[in-house]
Amino acid sequence: DMGCNTKSAAVFLVALACGTGATLFSKVMFDLESEDSLGNTRKFAKPFMVTFLMFVAMLVALPLHFIIHRLTQPGEPLPKVSTKMLFVLILPAITDLLGTTCAMVGLLYVKVSVYQLVRASTILFVAVYRVTLLKQRFYGYNWVGVILNFLAIVIVGGSALVDPTAGSDVPKGIAVLLLGCAIMASQLVLEEKVMAGDSTPPLIVVGMEGLWGTLIMLFIMFPIAKRMPGNDNGCYEDFGDALVMINNSPELTLFTVLYVLSITGYNVCAIFITFLLESVWRSILENFRPVAIWATDLVLFYVITKGTFGEQWTVWSWLELGGMCLLIYGTAVYNGSVRLSFLSYPDDDLDDEDANAVSATPTMERVMSSPLIQRSPFINAKGAGITGTPKQQGKGLPTTNKKGGTGSKGKGYGSTSSWMSNPFSSSKKKKRQGYQEVSQTP
């Protein structure tokens, strides 16, 4: 039963809370003040450190995988994972690192709602990459959705540029966010190319990306940041100074822990959500997260902190709200969830298998997830089935067979039956494997 029972409702609420919290906690951390290693009190403007904490949170998925496996399958051997795939995961870890770092730098300069909505431009870059690099066919309704999303981003960006409360340096923030979106979109293409046919359990995928990201941050990115000129005690960012500031502030320590826990919680929920929520509830979650983040920020400003922290509603917020509504509508058009009478759709003249093969397009959850959580569950626009792990689809687009099951013309990440019985083990199905893409988090 995938209806709205107590278990599914609990997963829905936890996923919503974790996804909302990950974004808000990172912004709170940037605005908190603490004493640094030189004895100066200043804001915790450490985007590299927040990215590092994100990878640490992902790394937690590895012990979680082994614990859950032992609890759910005592005595059973652990699923085998190829050594090659463990090293291949370095590539998406690098794109995660670069894209998330850009996102965190952008968040320094703009308010949370602008950050969340501008990040939806990932869908525009995905469309370009799919057509130019993957040579995938786009239909008229896909392009209409792309145009609507582009207009929405222009409206949101325009409202931020004229709103004096939108951030400390809105042009720089939006520019860096767009760069991050272009990098994050490239990860979708990368995963389709290098991870096709793999059946690695999702928590192993998340955990290994976290491991590689943590190592790259410690041994490459932080040393580089230490040698770059900047305003962090003479360098761009000092890792040791970040640890001192976290240790010197109980509030900063608290929100650091909450940030790590929220990302870890979202990773787990992203897996279970596929198996417990029916399509209508997944759609609500996908579209409600940006609303929840903005609403929470308003409540923080007007109710909880009395103007100390959060987001103020201005006359330009109405324009931003219009952009958000257009963004949600444009994404629904892009996915074929909302059909326009003057456009033709592939299933008008194709059978069910060919129709579903072209329905795998990124939806709001993938492109609007919290900074890094790009491992959301994958379904098609109609919620026709759950057929794999919360990772990007492999070669071959998913299809629906005549018995109502789902498969793929090519290989994907596993079959419904094995994942429904245990989402933490790998699948051994040989044919018609795949899953429906729903798009990021983060």
Side-chain angles (χ1 to χ4, degrees), residues 188-308:
L188 301 179
V189 177
L190 178 65
E191 289 177 343
E192 286 194 15
K193 289 293 186 182
V194 304
M195 298 187 69
D198 182 66
S199 59
T200 305
L203 284 180
I204 292 293
V205 173
V206 173
M208 285 306 302
E209 287 192 25
L211 174 61
W212 291 123
T214 300
L215 294 175
I216 294 171
M217 290 297 300
L218 286 174
F219 296 105
I220 298 178
M221 298 304 294
F222 279 124
I224 292 176
K226 180 70 174 178
R227 288 167 175 76
M228 291 173 58
N231 299 322
D232 191 8
N233 294 339
C235 63
Y236 186 81
E237 186 165 329
D238 187 338
F239 177 66
D241 184 71
L243 294 177
V244 171
M245 293 183 71
I246 293 174
N247 183 65
N248 287 341
S249 171
E251 293 84 4
L252 186 55
T253 301
L254 172 63
F255 281 100
T256 298
V257 173
L258 290 175
Y259 176 70
V260 171
L261 290 178
S262 64
I263 291 180
T264 302
Y266 194 90
N267 278 325
V268 176
C269 288
I271 297 169
F272 279 108
I273 229 172
T274 298
F275 309 102
L276 295 177
L277 295 183
E278 62 182 7
S279 59
V280 63
W281 285 102
R282 290 193 294 265
S283 298
I284 291 173
L285 178 62
E286 293 162 15
N287 294 302
F288 193 67
R289 287 195 59 247
V291 180
I293 290 173
W294 194 359
T296 302
D297 219 24
L298 291 171
V299 170
L300 285 173
F301 185 86
Y302 286 103
V303 179
I304 298 178
T305 67
K306 304 298 183 180
T308 303

Side-chain angles (χ1 to χ4, degrees), residues 93-114:
I94 292 173
T95 54
D96 251 351
L97 186 154
L98 297 176
T100 303
T101 300
C102 288
M104 292 297 99
V105 172
L107 184 58
L108 282 172
Y109 300 111
V110 299
K111 60 185 181 181
V112 170
S113 63
V114 173

Side-chain angles (χ1 to χ4, degrees), residues 98-99 102-103 118 121 125 129 173-186:
L98 297 176
C102 288
V118 170
S121 62
F125 294 104
Y129 294 161
I174 292 179
V176 178
L177 283 172
L178 290 175
L179 175 60
C181 290
I183 297 173
M184 289 177 179
S186 69

Side-chain angles (χ1 to χ4, degrees), residues 75-188:
E76 293 292 327
L78 290 168
K80 294 182 179 180
V81 180
S82 69
T83 303
K84 175 184 177 182
M85 184 51 57
L86 295 180
F87 283 94
V88 165
L89 287 170
I90 295 177
L91 300 177
I94 292 173
T95 54
D96 251 351
L97 186 154
L98 297 176
T100 303
T101 300
C102 288
M104 292 297 99
V105 172
L107 184 58
L108 282 172
Y109 300 111
V110 299
K111 60 185 181 181
V112 170
S113 63
V114 173
Y115 160 84
Q116 191 73 10
L117 294 175
V118 170
R119 287 187 64 243
S121 62
T122 301
I123 204 170
L124 306 179
F125 294 104
V126 168
V128 173
Y129 294 161
R130 284 187 181 279
V131 172
T132 59
L133 300 179
L134 298 182
K135 307 300 181 182
Q136 293 181 358
R137 179 181 179 184
F138 263 40
Y139 290 81
Y141 71 93
N142 296 129
W143 289 117
V144 171
V146 168
I147 293 172
L148 291 176
N149 275 271
F150 174 77
L151 293 176
I153 298 301
V154 171
I155 291 173
V156 171
S159 68
L161 289 172
V162 296
D163 185 355
T165 68
S168 59
D169 194 336
V170 174
K172 180 188 291 185
I174 292 179
V176 178
L177 283 172
L178 290 175
L179 175 60
C181 290
I183 297 173
M184 289 177 179
S186 69
Q187 182 175 343
L188 301 179

